[in-house]
Amino acid sequence: MGRQAVRLIGLVAATALAAAGCAAERKAAGGEGPAGTAGVTATTITVGGVLTKTSASGYSTKDAEIGARARFARANEAGGVHGRTVEFLGAEDDTQDAAKGDAAAKKLVQRDRVFALVPVHAPNFGGATFLEQQGVPWFGWATGPQWCGTKTGFGYNGCLAPKPGAGSQTWWGNQMAGLIGGSAGRSVYIQTTDSSGSKYGGRTIAQSFEAAGFTLAGVSSGLPAAAPPPDWLPYVNKIMTADGGGPPDLVVSIIAGTKFNTGLYGALKKAGYKGLLSDATSYDAAILKDPATAQALEGVIAAPMFEPFESKAAEIAQLKADVERTAPGTVPTQHLAIGYWAADIFLKILEQTGRELTRERFLATANGSFSYENPGFGRIRYPRDHTEPNGCGALVRLEKGVFTVARNMKCFDNVPLR
């Protein structure tokens, strides 16, 4: 055997020994978990999120990052889950662009090697297909159909875009009926944008109010999704004549963005509308900083899918304490709560999965008749809630520049979507 061949064999052997040594060092230091699970070491679990931090319409879910960080911080202070603390990388910004959301999900999984995506709070999130194919869990607000029917996407509130025949929520309509003393003889008009998530939301919300006994005066998806229209008059005229030539008793807006809602509500009030206004996004302390916005939203009844911050529930006191320790002076927002509760559910599944953590074991636990009740967000039941909403929500009213609890968190039975 020649000298060159001997040298080559020696180099290969040295490389192999070095690789084995590195692997041993990585294992000893907790480099990767069982079977090389990405994002898991002997002492840590790495996660990151995808949010719509910025967008052309001004809509932003950036506060969900604070909520998740606060919940993870409390878990870490308590020693983590089965001896592992959560290493939170923060959240990527998809700018409400589906392609950017897909790219962000791939970056987190392929480059950053996260175990799961927490929180995901982006109306046009485009990474769902990739995450499902890769078997990567993701947690957040299930606002669109991309969450539904998956094995890896876990909406803290279930699936808000169920398929026909699957359960569809009735809580919003029932909570509103309870607030106003009944639905008999009351009409409702649903306004959405032309985005897929908004239109689907309009369909399910319309049925929620019908199931609670309201008369449906109309559903419109004519608003552009990218930015508020320059002229609100055509939309206002349609609403003001929707109920037999007159205005409906209630207008429900399924629109993502304060600029949209302030424009619509301001135009309706200017036209003389005296009925009720309700939406899912106006429960936001930031709006109170601008007098014009606060005036446009005065009297609006927001419908958060979590217990309001003004509640006296112990779970809400804990949330606020966690946030104050993590980000002193932060005013809690709806998006913050969504990040917090998404992280809370993720931690609960980690706890039930046990010390031997892999994505496969985690998903088997989550999808194996997992059930969790918490007064902060109601309840969640997987795999059932992969295909239908959790059926829970509260109402908050803005009165004289102050949010007040109109109806505390309550859960109602779903009905099959028509």
Side-chain angles (χ1 to χ4, degrees), residues 32-34 36-41 44-49 72 81 84-89 105 107-118 130-131 134-139 152 154 345-347 349-351 353-366:
E32 285 198 340
T37 299
V40 179
T41 75
T44 64
I45 302 164
T46 302
V47 302
F72 288 143
V81 181
R84 294 186 178 99
T85 57
V86 177
E87 183 179 337
F88 181 46
L89 301 182
K107 171 187 176 293
L108 287 166
V109 173
Q110 296 172 341
R111 193 175 84 183
D112 297 334
R113 303 282 291 167
V114 300
F115 174 77
L117 269 65
V118 191
F130 168 75
L131 295 174
Q134 298 297 311
V136 178
W138 45 299
F139 290 74
T152 59
F154 298 89
I345 295 170
F346 171 72
L347 290 168
I349 297 174
L350 277 180
E351 177 187 317
T353 301
R355 173 68 183 173
E356 293 300 312
L357 179 62
T358 65
R359 284 178 182 152
E360 291 75 14
R361 288 175 60 85
F362 180 92
L363 291 172
T365 299

Side-chain angles (χ1 to χ4, degrees), residues 128 132 138 142-151 153-155 158-163 166 200 385-389:
E132 183 77 357
W138 45 299
T143 53
Q146 68 269 35
W147 287 86
C148 303
T150 73
K151 294 181 179 179
F154 298 89
C159 155
L160 295 189
K163 292 182 178 180
Y200 211 109
D385 290 345
H386 282 306
T387 57
E388 61 183 77

